[in-house]
Amino acid sequence: MPYDDLRDWIRALDRAGELKRIRTEADPILEITEITDRVSKTRDSQGALGGKALLFENLKGYPGRTLLINQFGSARRMKLALEVDSLDEIADRIRAFLDVKSPQGFLDKVKMLPMLAELGKFFPKTVPTGPCKEVILREHFSLLDFPILQCWPKDGGRFITLPCVITRDPRTGKRNVGMYRMQIYDERSTGMHWQRQKVAAEHYRERLRQSVPAEGGAARGAVDIMARSSGGAMLAAGDRPSGRMDVAVAIGTEPALTFSAIVPAPPDVEEFIIAGFLRQKPIELVKCETIDLEVPAHAEIILEGYVNLDELRAEGPFGDHTGFYSLEDQYPVFHVTCVTHRKDPIYSTTIVGKPPQEDAWMGKAVERIFLPLMKLTIPELVDINLPIEGIFHNLMIVSIRKSYPGQARKVMNAIWSLGQAMFTKCIVVVDEDVDVHDLADVTLKALNNIDPERDIQFTLGPVDSLDHASRLPDYGSKMGIDATRKWSSEGFTRPWPDEIVMDSKTRAMVDARWKVLAKELE
Ligand SMILES: Cc1cc2nc3c(=O)[nH]c(=O)nc-3n(C[C@H](O)[C@H](O)[C@H](O)COP(=O)(O)O)c2cc1C
């Protein structure tokens, strides 16, 4: 049965022995980060990383409040969150949908009915009310009433780190749910750190474009500056576009929905539907009190508000998942108009920093789930690995079934054109017989197989906003390494050596005698 809400999920974690309740007092300022960071990096008796999910029940300065962290922070918990034994089960379900052929006759059509019925389970359902409305605060509220973390010593302040940020596409009306951190400025306003390539940033730009006439001259130029701004390009008062964009934020939702907020879905696919697909039950939504958006009915905390189209403010620095601080930059400001929450709301959060931490396991789940979708446009793809220390956008190892010259480079270009995979700083392409998850095998074969000057491909393009080494913010170079066997049709005319493999007869003979030998070798 899918988890109804965060509380149901916490009970499941507890039953599975995956939750620790911390009754010792802990401070949301720095201390919880230090504790959680240590837990994220511990291994259990089987060597599995990630410790337990932590429910802090005694928070310094917040009597009666509780805080959940590290809920997704291990391979096991990530599977538990999505209710599967293996993440490949989800990939298989996606594949089954993609495999649909046109029905040949009546019987084929009948066979499709269960699949069509299942489709109905994915779409969100708007309901009259829900637990997130147990307390409605239109006037007397303060963000400082929640135990929001300051994660690292040089952070610009406290940050909401696990929010589901909901916006609406002004053109299509479709909703987006994205996870973008929010720096607390004061009781009622925060930063809104949607990076410029993300879907909510495009919704914001579209609202900006709509706020001035197409032939708008100076105002149009102002919109372009606002839309482009990430370096403090502030505008003269007369040139500022006017208007606002509604934004809602849900904190502490059913785990499939929190996870869906980080999924790099195509802009036109609502994450509410992805969450419905993952949990095989619709997400229930309720209407906001003060803005025109719907929010998850079972969330612990809802923040309703807006961003002004003419307002940017310094955001950051923030200790990020790169292991470094992301620097201060200009982002829109979120103004809260209403807070609704459950009675005794549980504040759900995470920390990012030097890997491995909780987000590593969320990223790994994205890697597995996206493989069948990547194969739609890159059919020669066999497998991918985004090693955790490569922080997802720095390194992707891909194996391919190579059938024609230059195919490794074609694959690199396809990846650099594919949604958020465009940020990948280094792509290593190997042949299908290399296990991309075996980094020793990848290192051995990739480095043996390359003539660096010949096999490294550089390109320029968009890079992750968190890349602190690129020549400009958001723009820089990327590298692909063609580590496949080289063919004569690719200009390689020398003989290619065989890989060393023992013959099966000798292996079987040693296998048969191994028990005796092993004793002698002890
Ligand atoms: C814990 C966590 C924090 C994140 N913070 C941000 C952030 O502050 N800004 C951002 O643009 N992306 C952030 N991301 C990545 C986005 O959530 C991710 O790119 C997502 O696909 C964006 O949604 P969208 O495609 O609907 O824009 C974060 C991811 C995680 C796991």
Side-chain angles (χ1 to χ4, degrees), residues 32-43 51 351 357:
I32 288 183
T33 299
E34 179 61 17
I35 297 167
T36 310
D37 190 36
R38 290 185 193 196
V39 170
S40 316
K41 293 179 170 69
T42 55
R43 289 183 185 274
I351 52 160
Q357 282 181 343

Side-chain angles (χ1 to χ4, degrees), residues 159-163 165 167 176-182 192-201 203 258-267 269 271 315 318 320-321 331 350-352 358-360 362-363 366 420 423 464-466:
F159 285 80
I160 300 175
T161 53
L162 205 62
V165 177
T167 53
N176 187 72
V177 188
M179 186 165 292
Y180 319 114
R181 70 176 189 233
M182 297 160 60
M192 189 46 86
H193 187 257
W194 48 54
Q195 291 155 3
R196 58 181 44 200
Q197 312 87 348
K198 303 299 169 73
V199 176
H203 291 178
T258 306
F259 171 72
S260 299
I262 72 145
V263 165
V269 178
E271 282 80 0
E315 195 271 0
F318 177 70
D320 229 310
H321 78 135
Y331 279 91
T350 190
I351 52 160
V352 290
E358 185 168 5
D359 62 317
M362 299 168 90
V366 170
Q420 291 183 41
F423 299 130
D464 197 287
S465 299
L466 301 184

Side-chain angles (χ1 to χ4, degrees), residues 89-110:
E89 283 175 34
I90 300 171
D92 289 344
R93 281 183 55 215
I94 296 174
R95 225 171 279 124
F97 272 99
L98 299 175
D99 263 359
V100 174
K101 297 193 285 284
S102 320
Q104 297 296 310
F106 179 70
L107 221 83
D108 273 1
K109 284 184 187 152
V110 171

Side-chain angles (χ1 to χ4, degrees), residues 7 64-66 131-136 299-301 340-346:
R7 292 166 193 226
R65 291 276 196 238
T66 44
C132 74
K133 304 274 190 191
E134 281 170 4
V135 177
I136 300 177
E300 293 291 322
I301 301 166
T340 78
H341 62 75
R342 296 179 71 139
K343 283 186 198 126
D344 302 321
I346 301 169

Side-chain angles (χ1 to χ4, degrees), residues 27-88:
D27 195 336
I29 307 296
L30 304 181
E31 191 182 10
I32 288 183
T33 299
E34 179 61 17
I35 297 167
T36 310
D37 190 36
R38 290 185 193 196
V39 170
S40 316
K41 293 179 170 69
T42 55
R43 289 183 185 274
D44 66 14
S45 52
Q46 269 99 54
L49 260 170
K52 305 287 181 198
L54 306 175
L55 193 66
F56 286 91
E57 295 180 334
N58 183 357
L59 295 159
K60 188 172 177 190
Y62 295 89
R65 291 276 196 238
T66 44
L67 177 152
L68 178 71
I69 197 163
N70 211 23
Q71 59 179 300
F72 300 110
S74 72
R76 177 163 189 237
R77 283 201 293 289
M78 197 59 243
K79 287 185 278 185
L80 208 58
L82 301 179
E83 297 173 277
V84 289
D85 294 324
S86 153
L87 294 169
D88 291 333

Side-chain angles (χ1 to χ4, degrees), residues 207-397:
R207 280 285 292 116
L208 276 166
R209 287 183 200 112
Q210 289 180 357
S211 72
V212 292
E215 69 289 354
R220 184 85 213 161
V223 168
D224 289 343
I225 291 171
M226 286 295 283
R228 279 202 312 268
S229 177
S230 87
M234 303 308 283
L235 299 164
D239 289 341
R240 286 186 190 161
S242 61
R244 22 165 97 168
M245 178 172 96
D246 288 349
V247 180
V249 177
I251 301 169
T253 68
E254 38 285 73
L257 181 56
T258 306
F259 171 72
S260 299
I262 72 145
V263 165
D268 276 348
V269 178
E270 285 199 359
E271 282 80 0
F272 289 132
I273 300 176
I274 297 176
F277 171 81
L278 290 171
R279 66 198 288 269
Q280 301 192 53
K281 195 177 170 189
I283 295 290
E284 289 190 342
L285 301 174
V286 285
K287 287 195 178 304
C288 283
E289 302 294 312
T290 55
I291 53 171
D292 179 26
L293 277 170
E294 297 78 37
V295 287
H298 298 267
E300 293 291 322
I301 301 166
I302 299 291
L303 310 178
E304 301 181 8
Y306 62 89
V307 293
N308 285 320
L309 298 182
D310 67 345
E311 187 183 19
L312 298 176
R313 180 171 167 177
E315 195 271 0
F318 177 70
D320 229 310
H321 78 135
T322 55
F324 292 86
Y325 285 93
S326 53
L327 301 176
E328 198 179 283
D329 204 345
Q330 299 288 325
Y331 279 91
V333 180
F334 174 60
H335 297 275
V336 185
T337 50
C338 177
V339 174
T340 78
H341 62 75
R342 296 179 71 139
K343 283 186 198 126
D344 302 321
I346 301 169
Y347 179 69
S348 160
T349 190
T350 190
I351 52 160
V352 290
K354 285 191 185 142
Q357 282 181 343
E358 185 168 5
D359 62 317
W361 308 107
M362 299 168 90
K364 276 283 157 197
V366 170
E367 171 200 292
R368 287 299 93 195
I369 293 169
F370 264 70
L371 185 57
L373 297 167
M374 286 179 77
K375 284 184 180 179
L376 279 182
T377 43
I378 317 174
E380 59 273 66
L381 208 63
V382 175
D383 204 354
I384 59 169
N385 179 16
L386 293 100
I388 287 173
E389 292 71 18
I391 55 162
F392 295 95
H393 50 85
N394 280 347
L395 179 59
M396 183 187 292
I397 303 164

